Amino acid sequence: MRTIRNTNAAMPGRHLTAQRRLLLDLIHSARGHIDAKELYRRASSQDASISLATVYRNLRLFQDLGLVDETRLGRTSHQYEPKRSAEHQHFVCTYCGRVIEFQTPLVDNVIERFQQEQGVKVTKTEFYLEGVCRQCGQRKEEG
Amino acid sequence: MRTIRNTNAAMPGRHLTAQRRLLLDLIHSARGHIDAKELYRRASSQDASISLATVYRNLRLFQDLGLVDETRLGRTSHQYEPKRSAEHQHFVCTYCGRVIEFQTPLVDNVIERFQQEQGVKVTKTEFYLEGVCRQCGQRKEEG
DNA sequence: TTAAGTGCAAAGGCTTTGCAGCATA
DNA sequence: TATGCTGCAAAGCCTTTGCACTTAA
């Protein structure tokens, strides 16, 4: 069980409330992605009085502080995960919802070139693939 | 003014209604991206009685028929555009909302390799960049 | 002590759906 | 003529917000 220490280095000038500690803990231990609803469900089981508004407010805050990354996967689902140093990308299986993360330097090349050619500054990248995972592909062939 | 011909080759077994013709026309002449609300606004100015439900129903239909592509840009906005043969990618300026489209074979390389390594089948790609466009970058420096 | 955070409930967007009437094939 | 489509209005989601109370610093 990962614990967030009691000092407030990550949120200068902010209150490190029990709710925030709980939410950060859950996001970290989710190992992968978690959406607001599921985060609320899990938080509720440990603190029955926590509200969905608090979940949303803090997800927004964590993003602003750079503690958490938001990713839009699939049609409308927003997923959250701890911030990482390396950019990484996502593949989502449209049959079972499985998420595969991957990372490739080619993406950095594309960005570098695009910035130079267009004179723009890229601050965020999202490379999203959708398709059929190995397992579901096999199941389809067999079935 | 691009016109969609009156036969129904694009939608076998479907009714090519006046509303659908109008919507397809507008999507094509939007030259770029358009979202449901704006599409509704423009459609209304030509057919005051068209309903938002019809817009949504048909956007869904057009996607299913492969006539139109949906792209999620920025936080929550869904954008629609005519289907194209070549995959292309998007950059969105977080200041002015400008959308720059680009295309690079590197993306295809990434997909090819990913499919082989993971044994998956990729059916959809979205490479989304966010940042500051040239114009807004200059404006920030000057201001 | 006091600014910041919380829960609650209500409101806001966007999108979908049930239904009765209408229009296309 | 018979299905499919439409408009309308209502409902469904997900997310945000106003307010009064609570709490961390």
Side-chain angles (χ1 to χ4, degrees):
Chain A
M1 171 69 148
R2 194 181 177 291
T3 22
I4 313 271
R5 64 189 190 296
N6 234 329
T7 61
N8 201 352
M11 293 189 276
R14 303 293 186 144
H15 295 185
L16 184 51
T17 63
Q19 292 90 334
R20 287 181 180 166
R21 233 177 287 133
L22 173 58
L23 291 175
L24 283 172
D25 241 8
L26 287 171
I27 293 169
H28 278 96
S29 52
R31 296 187 33 73
H33 311 83
I34 190 167
D35 64 12
K37 208 169 82 181
E38 176 62 16
L39 182 55
Y40 172 63
R41 210 186 56 71
R42 295 189 193 176
S44 299
S45 77
Q46 296 195 226
D47 169 3
S49 76
I50 200 170
S51 81
L52 191 51
T54 293
V55 171
Y56 277 111
R57 272 192 287 240
N58 283 314
L59 280 173
R60 167 71 62 103
L61 173 70
F62 297 159
Q63 283 180 75
D64 291 346
L65 294 177
L67 299 175
V68 156
D69 270 335
E70 184 196 64
T71 314
R72 293 174 294 286
L73 302 180
R75 210 179 160 66
T76 46
S77 117
H78 295 195
Q79 302 275 337
Y80 301 86
E81 62 188 314
K83 187 90 167 187
R84 316 209 197 155
S85 43
E87 290 281 4
H88 61 284
Q89 284 73 46
H90 300 94
F91 166 91
V92 177
C93 175
T94 52
Y95 285 86
C96 67
R98 181 194 314 264
V99 177
I100 300 174
E101 293 182 4
F102 62 101
Q103 203 281 327
T104 159
L106 286 181
V107 170
D108 298 328
N109 297 348
V110 173
I111 294 170
E112 187 51 43
R113 241 174 65 187
F114 181 69
Q115 288 190 131
Q116 289 186 0
E117 285 173 11
Q118 299 284 337
V120 305
K121 175 94 185 76
V122 172
T123 56
K124 181 172 180 185
T125 312
E126 218 157 275
F127 189 17
Y128 168 73
L129 301 180
E130 210 173 84
V132 188
C133 72
R134 193 203 314 264
Q135 288 79 351
C136 288
Q138 288 171 352
R139 204 171 303 126
K140 280 175 69 187
E141 278 180 14
E142 292 162 4
Chain B
M1 170 70 148
R2 192 179 179 293
T3 21
I4 312 268
R5 64 189 191 294
N6 234 330
T7 61
N8 200 353
M11 293 188 277
R14 304 290 185 147
H15 293 185
L16 184 51
T17 63
Q19 292 90 333
R20 288 182 180 165
R21 232 176 287 134
L22 173 58
L23 292 175
L24 283 172
D25 241 8
L26 288 172
I27 292 169
H28 278 96
S29 52
R31 296 189 33 72
H33 312 84
I34 191 168
D35 63 12
K37 208 168 81 181
E38 176 63 16
L39 182 56
Y40 172 64
R41 210 187 56 72
R42 295 189 194 174
S44 299
S45 77
Q46 295 193 229
D47 169 3
S49 76
I50 201 170
S51 81
L52 190 51
T54 294
V55 171
Y56 277 110
R57 273 193 287 242
N58 283 315
L59 280 174
R60 166 72 61 104
L61 174 69
F62 297 160
Q63 282 180 75
D64 291 347
L65 294 176
L67 298 175
V68 156
D69 270 334
E70 183 195 65
T71 314
R72 292 173 295 287
L73 301 180
R75 216 182 154 63
T76 47
S77 115
H78 294 195
Q79 301 277 338
Y80 301 86
E81 62 189 313
K83 188 89 168 188
R84 313 207 197 160
S85 42
E87 291 280 3
H88 61 286
Q89 285 73 45
H90 301 92
F91 167 91
V92 178
C93 175
T94 52
Y95 286 86
C96 67
R98 181 193 314 265
V99 177
I100 301 174
E101 293 182 3
F102 63 101
Q103 204 280 326
T104 159
L106 285 182
V107 170
D108 297 328
N109 297 348
V110 173
I111 294 169
E112 187 51 43
R113 241 172 67 184
F114 181 69
Q115 288 190 133
Q116 289 186 359
E117 284 173 10
Q118 299 284 338
V120 306
K121 174 95 185 76
V122 171
T123 56
K124 180 173 180 183
T125 311
E126 218 157 274
F127 189 17
Y128 168 74
L129 301 180
E130 210 173 83
V132 188
C133 74
R134 193 201 315 263
Q135 288 80 351
C136 288
Q138 288 171 352
R139 206 170 302 127
K140 279 175 69 186
E141 279 179 15
E142 292 162 6

